[in-house]
Amino acid sequence: MDTAVERAIECIRERYGEPLTLTEIAESALLSRFYFTRLFKEETGLTPGRFLAAVRIYQAKRLIESTSMSITEISFAVGYNSLGSFTNSFTASVGVSPSRFRRLSRDGGDGLPGPEPSARSGFGVVAGTISLPEGHGNAQVYLGAFRTPVVQHPSVAEVVVDVPSGRPSCYSLKDVPEGSWHLLAVAVADGIGPDAPARRTSLVGGRGSATVTVSADSVTSAALRLRPSRPVDPPVLLALPELEPRASVMAHPGCASVTPSPDPAGRRQAAGHLRVASAAQAPSRS
């Protein structure tokens, strides 16, 4: 790492369990607090304190999944002084409580949190293409619209898309409330060759302060190019479904326009499970 922000993130990732202050993080970057805070937010889309909080929750997820430590032990290990505060922060960011996340990680992802119900009256669609970087096989991509540049609970709309290797694939994110949202993606992609599943990699898309603006009863176009994650990317906090690339995915020949379709009463329905969109057109039924 060779930039001031990357040095600060390295400090955060190494010392997240300590009571780090903004001054200490800025000193690790060799910058004044004021200039450092502005530079950090420009680069990551978050304040240093918010990034630290995200790293703590992410590390807690990792410990819950991979160790037999108690939830109380984990809360103190990631820098919290109160189990109640940790539980509230974890649930708000991940979408499920620490104990439920442990059960889901052991038993499977059924029942993961869906999009947040919205009281807004206007909804639109975000549609476009998702592209994979070269050297990757088929991927399954989680795509969501969020208030902040962090993949965390709650999303306002979400979909899982199967994307083939070597060419862009169309997506359609429906029932997006009107407003400006961060369009963020997380993917698992196969490698190339006979042992492709054994060389799977994680990819991300969307970053920083960039947003898409959605108007009621309209379609907003947005192309998303996935890439390997970088040190400045905030960690993924949301409890995601199992992203399992399909062995065979056909590319959609073109992206059709999508018209928003609110329910008859004009209300948006909260989804209990993610919708999976294939890159291939579904066969017509006679």
Side-chain angles (χ1 to χ4, degrees):
M1 293 190 178
D2 55 4
T3 71
V5 171
E6 288 176 336
R7 288 195 300 271
I9 291 174
E10 183 178 31
C11 172
I12 289 172
R13 294 189 188 278
E14 290 179 350
R15 301 176 55 190
Y16 62 85
E18 304 174 19
L20 273 176
T21 65
L22 176 58
T23 298
E24 290 174 310
I25 300 173
E27 287 176 350
S28 72
L30 306 178
L31 296 173
S32 68
R33 286 179 51 177
F34 176 78
Y35 178 68
F36 166 71
T37 300
R38 180 167 61 84
L39 182 67
F40 192 97
K41 189 167 185 179
E42 288 176 355
E43 185 68 23
T44 68
L46 302 174
T47 65
R50 182 66 190 91
F51 199 101
L52 171 60
V55 168
R56 284 173 169 164
I57 296 299
Y58 173 80
Q59 293 296 338
K61 285 178 60 183
R62 185 182 64 82
L63 291 172
I64 289 172
E65 288 179 307
S66 62
T67 75
S68 59
M69 294 171 64
S70 70
I71 301 301
T72 300
E73 290 172 329
I74 290 172
S75 69
F76 287 106
V78 299
Y80 282 82
N81 294 321
S82 162
L83 176 60
S85 295
F86 167 71
T87 300
N88 291 338
S89 297
F90 187 99
T91 304
S93 297
V94 179
V96 293
S97 69
S99 58
R100 178 159 178 74
F101 183 75
R102 173 161 274 170
R103 291 194 298 272
L104 290 171
S105 66
R106 291 173 176 173
D107 303 333
D110 190 34
L112 294 174
E116 178 187 44
S118 177
R120 303 190 187 200
S121 58
F123 298 91
V125 171
V126 180
T129 59
I130 299 176
S131 303
L132 304 178
E134 293 184 5
H136 292 81
N138 298 340
Q140 191 163 76
V141 182
Y142 167 90
L143 176 65
F146 298 87
R147 291 186 176 85
T148 71
V150 182
V151 179
Q152 66 176 23
H153 183 72
S155 68
V156 297
E158 56 189 13
V159 67
V160 171
V161 184
D162 292 311
V163 180
S165 173
R167 61 179 300 177
S169 178
C170 300
Y171 75 87
S172 174
L173 190 60
K174 299 181 179 180
D175 295 327
V176 185
E178 56 185 342
S180 294
W181 310 103
H182 295 269
L183 190 64
L184 305 174
V186 181
V188 173
D190 276 338
I192 299 293
D195 60 341
R199 296 186 289 110
R200 286 178 175 167
T201 57
S202 296
L203 303 172
V204 297
R207 65 178 294 274
S209 58
T211 59
V212 294
T213 300
V214 177
S215 300
D217 302 321
S218 67
V219 178
T220 300
S221 177
L224 207 64
R225 182 177 293 277
L226 303 187
R227 55 172 173 76
S229 62
R230 297 193 287 253
V232 297
D233 293 321
V236 174
L237 304 185
L238 182 66
L240 292 175
E242 192 76 23
L243 298 176
E244 182 73 18
R246 297 180 186 270
S248 177
V249 180
M250 295 177 59
H252 195 295
C255 297
S257 176
V258 182
T259 302
S261 54
D263 72 2
R267 297 184 303 272
R268 174 179 180 247
Q269 300 295 318
H273 298 278
L274 293 180
R275 179 171 59 87
V276 178
S278 175
Q281 284 185 310
S284 59
R285 295 181 179 179
S286 56

